[in-house]
Amino acid sequence: MKRIRKICPLVCICVMLILTACSGRTDVGDGESYIYCLNTDRTDLVKISYEIDQEDTLEAAESVLEELKKPAEEIEYTAAIPDNVEVNGCSLKGSILSVDFDSAYLQIEKLEEKLVRAAVVQSLLRIEGIDGIMFTVDSEPLRDSDGNIIGLMNKDDFVENTGSSPSSYQTDTLHLYFANKAGDGLVEQEMDVRYSSNVSKEKLIVEKLIQGPSGTEAYPTINPNTNLLSVTTKDGICYVNFDSTFLTAAYDVYPEITVYSIVNSLVEGTDAVRVQITINGETNASYMETVDLSQPLQEDMDWVEAAEDEE
């Protein structure tokens, strides 16, 4: 009897462990709420169940960040934010969340840092009311290995790459439209690019337009201080969301040239057939009081010099 009494508790413990394993946090079903952590080797992302139930957006973000630092409850995953990295705080401006880390963040190994960033950003973007994330380190903007500011990140910066490397790259040739010297027409420029497979082609095109052309045969069209908040395509319409800086012209070009440099480049380079430009998510705007942005726009090749010359 004594031996049976000793065995029974052991059996109960084993059963409990089996049941826990069967209903672990990594068993995320369709429609269930989740956030991202890293796998045991810290070489990939893992979904873990987590319910976001705070009504206040900032409070929800703070709770998610706390959860992303908690030690793992199962061996199938590890905390997204390394134990030695501290979150100094976060702030919300409109739909843009800024997250400030301490200097230990800069010591994260390069590949792991990309995964940490992907896990944190994609988890926070699951909170309603957050459309973009900015990372800072001790209040200074986070920079990549080349010293460039990483800037605003949104869902178009990442793909759900569980099971694949987030550092794979692909090459392509973009057909972009910039201003001519007089600023009253568009000129086409081919640009060979190598970019991360985590970046959508739509986002890449708009970012390259903001950066401006190479060489001296074409001229920029978009205010370089413009922040691209998001780019998504649905039902043949590419939705490009800028902040209000976009409405401030930085170059002496026709308003139509700026707008159709975006529209023509996206329609030529993606599956979109129309482009809807929004400002902070709102469509009730016009560019330089000339171009109505309230409706999706079709490409207009009449502004392209090459097209006119061929006629």
Side-chain angles (χ1 to χ4, degrees):
M1 289 295 294
K2 289 183 179 179
R3 186 177 298 175
I4 292 174
R5 288 172 183 169
K6 289 180 179 179
I7 292 174
C8 285
L10 290 175
V11 172
C12 291
I13 291 172
C14 291
V15 171
M16 290 176 64
L17 289 172
I18 292 172
L19 291 174
T20 301
C22 291
S23 58
R25 294 190 68 183
T26 56
D27 297 325
V28 180
D30 293 340
E32 293 183 357
S33 182
Y34 62 88
I35 57 176
Y36 287 92
C37 283
L38 273 61
N39 65 3
T40 306
D41 298 327
R42 299 188 73 77
T43 57
D44 205 351
L45 302 184
V46 176
K47 291 179 181 179
I48 66 166
S49 59
Y50 179 78
E51 194 68 37
I52 300 173
D53 53 11
Q54 288 86 356
E55 293 184 1
D56 182 82
T57 303
L58 185 58
E59 288 181 3
E62 291 170 344
S63 295
V64 168
L65 288 167
E66 289 179 8
E67 191 69 24
L68 293 173
K69 260 194 70 68
K70 284 183 180 179
E73 300 174 4
E74 303 166 17
I75 61 172
E76 286 83 5
Y77 73 94
T78 58
I81 302 174
D83 182 60
N84 65 315
V85 176
E86 297 297 329
V87 179
N88 292 331
C90 59
S91 59
L92 187 67
K93 184 177 181 180
S95 62
I96 307 302
L97 181 76
S98 295
V99 182
D100 188 49
F101 296 94
D102 69 358
S103 58
Y105 186 95
L106 300 178
Q107 306 306 314
I108 305 175
E109 189 272 330
K110 185 177 179 181
L111 177 58
E112 182 180 335
E113 188 277 329
K114 290 181 179 179
L115 286 165
V116 170
R117 184 153 32 103
V120 174
V121 171
Q122 291 190 103
S123 296
L124 291 170
L125 287 174
R126 296 189 60 76
I127 301 172
E128 186 176 354
I130 296 178
D131 296 320
I133 313 290
M134 298 276 288
F135 276 15
T136 57
V137 176
D138 288 336
S139 301
E140 293 296 323
L142 179 65
R143 297 176 181 270
D144 62 20
S145 56
D146 296 322
N148 300 312
I149 294 177
I150 291 175
L152 187 73
M153 296 170 284
N154 53 49
K155 62 183 180 181
D156 299 304
D157 288 292
F158 306 97
V159 296
E160 292 199 1
N161 43 22
T162 51
S164 63
S165 170
S167 58
S168 58
Y169 286 83
Q170 54 192 9
T171 59
D172 203 346
T173 299
L174 304 180
H175 295 267
L176 305 178
Y177 292 93
F178 295 100
N180 62 6
K181 186 175 182 179
D184 60 1
L186 292 170
V187 293
E188 182 182 359
Q189 183 175 92
E190 288 189 358
M191 186 178 294
D192 294 326
V193 293
R194 179 175 180 269
Y195 63 102
S196 170
S197 58
N198 294 341
V199 177
S200 70
K201 194 173 181 182
E202 292 88 343
K203 185 174 189 293
L204 177 69
I205 288 172
V206 180
E207 287 183 337
K208 291 299 181 182
L209 290 173
I210 294 174
Q211 291 174 14
S214 58
T216 59
E217 300 300 318
Y219 297 83
T221 60
I222 303 173
N223 188 329
N225 295 318
T226 296
N227 288 312
L228 176 62
L229 302 182
S230 63
V231 187
T232 56
T233 298
K234 183 178 181 181
D235 298 330
I237 300 176
C238 183
Y239 297 87
V240 184
N241 187 23
F242 294 114
D243 72 348
S244 58
T245 309
F246 172 76
L247 298 177
T248 304
Y251 306 107
D252 187 17
V253 300
Y254 284 16
E256 293 87 351
I257 297 305
T258 295
V259 171
Y260 284 101
S261 70
I262 300 168
V263 175
N264 290 2
S265 297
L266 285 168
V267 173
E268 287 287 303
T270 70
D271 294 331
V273 294
R274 290 184 294 168
V275 176
Q276 173 72 71
I277 297 175
T278 59
I279 308 300
N280 293 321
E282 300 293 333
T283 58
N284 57 344
S286 63
Y287 183 72
M288 303 302 292
E289 299 183 354
T290 301
V291 184
D292 181 16
L293 302 179
S294 64
Q295 299 296 326
L297 300 170
Q298 296 180 328
E299 69 175 345
D300 188 345
M301 301 304 288
D302 289 341
W303 291 102
V304 181
E305 284 190 343
E308 292 179 357
D309 291 342
E310 290 173 0
E311 292 176 2

